[in-house]
Amino acid sequence: MKKQINNVAMLIAIIFIVSSCVELDLDQQDAASSENWYQTSEQFRQSLNEGYRSTFFPSDGNDGAYNPGWDDDVNYRTNLGPIKSGTVDSNYSRAKNDWTNMYKAITRILTVLEKIKTQSGVLSSAEEQQFEGEANFFLGVYWTYLITHYGDVPFYDTPITIDESFTIARTDKAFILQKIYEYFDVASQNLPVSYLSGLEYATKGAALAFKARAAIYMGDNATAAIAAKACMDLNAYELHPNFEELFLSSTKESKEIIFKLPRSEEFLQTINSNFILYMLPRNEGGYGSVIPSWELLASFECVDGLPIDESPLFDSHNPFKNRDPRLLATIVPFGSLKDGDGLSPDSGSRHMAREYNPHPEHTRVFNYLTSSLETNKDTKSNQNFCSFNGLLFKKGIDSDWADKIAANDLILMRYADVLLMYAEAKIELNEIDASVLNAINEVRDRAYANSSFSNPTVTTTDQVKLRYIVRNERRSELAGEWLRYMDLIRWRLADVIMDGGHTYGLAPIAANADPNVIQENSDLMVNVVNPGNWFWGLTPQIDENGVADFMPLVDAGLAQILTTTSFPSHQYLWPIPDDERRLNPNLTQNEGY
């Protein structure tokens, strides 16, 4: 039998270069090997553009439409993927694919970097400096992903041969982390703060911000604080004035965005249409199946700065009322939103072209395009497979999604994240000063800027209290951006929260059903409760980790458990893929696999 070549070796042997325009049009124009390429500046540019592929920037928490949600912020009906069911093994497809893609990316960029360093007169000094900076930025990002997900991994900083790839062993992640810092340092030294309008390449700020992320993910708070502060001191970024607007497909330019992958319909760079369907309400032709968790809904504080179980402003029947304005921009609201708005718990709100109202008595909703009522497909009274907990995501979703094509830019680093990383790192170092409070309050001020409420300013300097505040602030600010999973991993809370935890949904028909509601299909599991029990009949209690307890609602028949989650401790690291270990006997396995 011929000896198989493993993924890493195969990708070292053959490098495909895909051309694109300066605005990162990644559609393939032509291809060439490293042996007959790199003859012009444009060929170097096209080779580096390959590094911006979204495949090489995988999101944490989304395996696509059929396995979204690795954390306690996102649910998918009653489905659990391998991470939340605790069934990750050495053949876990996501771990295999990401391993392959990261080494593919590293191999390609190392080849480009070698050609940059050995070229003679093809590039101007300015081009050589920028291209070397971009290559180092990519390497820093790619290696960060590997060590934060797999721990010790095979490391090399120059192209290696196929034979070497069969023998290379795992390298201590602490050593690789120092190399990552070096990559980002070279990148930040070589890259400009900004480019001419229309160019979307990595910048000095991106290198500093991603260095801060690498450091904070690995528990190096001192380096994280320094890198984040250096990014802040560039004075190149500021928070977008409108939180909700920032994430819409129409927002293509913002001083808050530090690094993104542009999407456009023109170049067929859009969100996967299947995933769009899973996010859209059924009233808009979607499935309403990828949904915010009740835990996420409960985590947003009230406008007095207190958690829902401490604030006198919280109304369990109107869970969106008097809450952090980012909640209304993240989850589609319903019911009363503030005192004096004239709304009641059974009121809906406009989302896209229609009213959204999951209340079981509202079997018809208003269509704003036709100015008429139509069947409400987002209530359990009419459709059993609408949102299982009554919630839908709103962040980044608007009428542009109606034709099932969305071109929202993929924002991978923004200034709010840098501010919160700086604050967190300084809190963990117990170096709490005015700069820490200013960073947190700058983010919170923007959150409240377009509302009728004022930011309940953070003033405490107590380390334990601030740790809770900044962690919850990250959850509120970054919800739906696929960063929660790695936060739980680095805080060592994934097993605490998800091992033996649950996901919750609306209660089935029960003793407190309203007999006045006409059920169109009596065999459906219809959630119909008396007015005094909608939406939550009780206020859930919040623990020291910001996690809500919904079991009292379940015990009272006001909610049901949809799934029971599991997270064994060995899943803090992913397995080394079996295929790789069979072909390279020097690759050891992570504990537990």
Side-chain angles (χ1 to χ4, degrees):
M1 179 183 294
K2 291 183 178 180
K3 185 176 184 180
Q4 279 185 290
I5 299 178
N6 70 350
N7 291 325
V8 175
M10 179 71 77
L11 295 164
I12 291 170
I14 302 174
I15 310 272
F16 291 99
I17 307 299
V18 180
S19 67
S20 75
C21 73
V22 294
E23 294 182 343
L24 298 187
D25 168 16
L26 297 179
D27 291 336
Q28 183 164 330
Q29 306 281 324
D30 52 73
S33 74
S34 58
E35 298 304 317
N36 60 8
W37 197 247
Y38 306 109
Q39 303 301 310
T40 67
S41 170
E42 179 61 20
Q43 289 175 344
F44 276 94
R45 175 72 270 161
Q46 293 170 1
S47 299
L48 280 172
N49 281 356
E50 177 75 356
Y52 290 97
R53 285 186 173 274
S54 60
T55 302
F56 301 150
F57 292 86
S59 64
D60 286 312
N62 176 19
D63 282 352
Y66 298 100
N67 184 23
W70 299 355
D71 53 50
D72 59 339
D73 277 0
V74 183
N75 293 343
Y76 174 35
R77 292 180 177 163
T78 58
N79 298 41
L80 291 177
I83 289 180
K84 287 176 75 171
S85 64
T87 58
V88 171
D89 60 25
S90 55
N91 289 306
Y92 176 39
S93 61
R94 177 62 188 266
K96 293 167 64 175
N97 291 339
D98 284 358
W99 177 282
T100 297
N101 287 331
M102 288 300 98
Y103 277 108
K104 178 192 298 184
I106 288 166
T107 298
R108 292 179 179 182
I109 297 304
L110 283 175
T111 299
V112 178
L113 185 58
E114 182 180 65
K115 295 298 182 181
I116 292 172
K117 292 180 176 180
T118 58
Q119 62 86 31
S120 178
V122 176
L123 301 176
S124 68
S125 58
E127 289 173 330
E128 181 178 3
Q129 178 177 333
Q130 179 187 328
F131 291 174
E132 184 177 349
E134 286 183 69
N136 277 272
F137 169 78
F138 289 137
L139 291 171
V141 171
Y142 303 155
W143 285 116
T144 296
Y145 191 87
L146 284 171
I147 66 170
T148 54
H149 289 70
Y150 303 90
D152 300 342
V153 295
F155 177 81
Y156 47 93
D157 55 8
T158 57
I160 61 175
T161 67
I162 295 175
D163 287 340
E164 287 173 325
S165 72
F166 287 127
T167 61
I168 187 170
R170 299 171 71 183
T171 304
D172 188 334
K173 61 181 179 294
F175 173 83
I176 301 175
L177 180 61
Q178 296 306 310
K179 298 296 291 187
I180 289 170
Y181 291 163
E182 292 176 17
Y183 286 133
F184 284 131
D185 287 344
V186 172
S188 64
Q189 292 161 11
N190 286 18
L191 292 174
V193 174
S194 62
Y195 296 92
L196 296 175
S197 178
L199 301 183
E200 306 272 8
Y201 305 126
T203 60
K204 181 186 295 289
L208 292 169
F210 276 91
K211 181 180 180 181
R213 179 176 288 175
I216 208 165
Y217 276 11
M218 297 301 292
D220 183 357
N221 292 299
T223 299
I226 293 170
K229 186 63 164 59
C231 181
M232 295 158 60
D233 288 344
L234 293 176
N235 295 317
Y237 307 105
E238 60 186 48
L239 298 179
H240 196 79
N242 187 301
F243 177 81
E244 183 173 356
E245 178 186 81
L246 175 63
F247 306 98
L248 301 179
S249 59
S250 57
T251 303
K252 295 299 183 183
E253 299 292 335
S254 173
K255 289 186 176 181
E256 179 166 352
I257 299 174
I258 297 175
F259 184 74
K260 69 178 182 179
L261 299 183
R263 289 191 178 115
S264 68
E265 292 184 46
E266 179 183 3
F267 297 118
L268 301 180
Q269 298 164 343
T270 60
I271 301 172
N272 180 279
S273 59
N274 286 332
F275 191 72
I276 290 174
L277 289 173
Y278 278 67
M279 301 288 284
L280 289 179
R282 286 187 170 265
N283 287 333
E284 297 288 347
Y287 304 144
S289 53
V290 176
I291 54 179
S293 66
W294 277 6
E295 290 88 347
L296 178 60
L297 172 58
S299 69
F300 288 83
E301 65 184 24
C302 290
V303 294
D304 57 4
L306 296 175
I308 61 173
D309 62 339
E310 296 180 19
S311 173
L313 298 178
F314 181 68
D315 180 354
S316 64
H317 308 307
N318 291 290
F320 293 91
K321 184 177 182 179
N322 298 327
R323 304 289 297 282
D324 183 327
R326 286 170 296 191
L327 171 57
L328 279 64
T330 301
I331 302 175
V332 182
F334 49 82
S336 176
L337 306 183
K338 61 181 180 179
D339 291 330
D341 61 11
L343 301 176
S344 59
D346 66 341
S347 297
S349 69
R350 180 171 181 170
H351 178 49
M352 302 178 68
R354 292 168 174 81
E355 176 189 4
Y356 179 73
N357 193 339
H359 196 285
E361 293 182 356
H362 286 262
T363 57
R364 296 174 69 78
V365 290
F366 192 75
N367 183 323
Y368 291 89
L369 295 179
T370 63
S371 297
S372 62
L373 292 173
E374 63 184 28
T375 299
N376 183 6
K377 300 176 182 177
D378 287 305
T379 176
K380 289 287 185 180
S381 296
N382 290 333
Q383 173 51 256
N384 198 37
F385 283 90
C386 63
S387 172
F388 277 34
N389 65 9
L391 305 181
L392 288 176
F393 273 112
K394 181 181 179 183
K395 195 173 186 178
I397 301 172
D398 65 0
S399 57
D400 289 349
W401 288 46
D403 58 1
K404 315 304 182 290
I405 297 176
N408 302 59
D409 288 341
L410 181 59
I411 301 173
L412 297 173
M413 182 67 71
R414 57 188 181 91
Y415 189 51
D417 196 353
V418 172
L419 291 171
L420 294 177
M421 284 193 291
Y422 171 75
E424 180 184 341
K426 295 285 281 185
I427 291 167
E428 293 302 324
L429 293 168
N430 207 14
E431 297 175 358
I432 299 166
D433 56 19
S435 70
V436 173
L437 300 182
N438 289 341
I440 296 173
N441 284 312
E442 185 174 349
V443 176
R444 293 166 63 91
D445 284 342
R446 190 271 302 275
Y448 282 82
N450 296 284
S451 74
S452 59
F453 302 106
S454 298
N455 170 27
T457 305
V458 175
T459 59
T460 181
T461 57
D462 180 87
Q463 184 186 36
V464 174
K465 292 180 180 178
L466 279 175
R467 179 181 292 124
Y468 177 93
I469 288 171
V470 77
R471 289 182 176 186
N472 204 59
E473 191 67 21
R474 285 188 63 83
R475 192 175 192 181
S476 300
E477 177 70 23
L478 303 170
E481 298 180 50
W482 311 114
L483 294 171
R484 173 72 171 172
Y485 170 76
M486 281 306 300
D487 282 349
L488 295 180
I489 292 295
R490 64 192 181 86
W491 294 333
R492 304 299 290 186
L493 289 177
D495 61 331
V496 174
I497 291 173
M498 292 193 288
D499 195 38
H502 305 291
T503 65
Y504 300 92
L506 297 168
I509 201 165
N512 39 358
D514 186 340
N516 295 319
V517 175
I518 299 175
Q519 299 176 34
E520 297 180 5
N521 190 339
S522 59
D523 62 353
L524 291 179
M525 295 288 283
V526 183
N527 177 22
V528 183
V529 294
N530 286 322
N533 288 329
W534 179 268
F535 176 69
W536 288 333
L538 302 169
T539 298
Q541 298 298 297
I542 309 295
D543 71 13
E544 68 277 7
N545 294 316
V547 178
D549 179 10
F550 291 99
M551 284 307 298
L553 276 78
V554 174
D555 294 340
L558 304 177
Q560 64 176 320
I561 294 173
L562 300 177
T563 65
T564 298
T565 58
S566 177
F567 194 96
S569 59
H570 66 263
Q571 279 190 188
Y572 276 101
L573 288 178
W574 284 1
I576 307 302
D578 265 354
D579 290 348
E580 302 293 334
R581 295 190 63 237
R582 279 193 291 269
L583 294 166
N584 183 351
N586 291 312
L587 289 179
T588 58
Q589 184 58 279
N590 284 326
E591 185 178 352
Y593 297 103

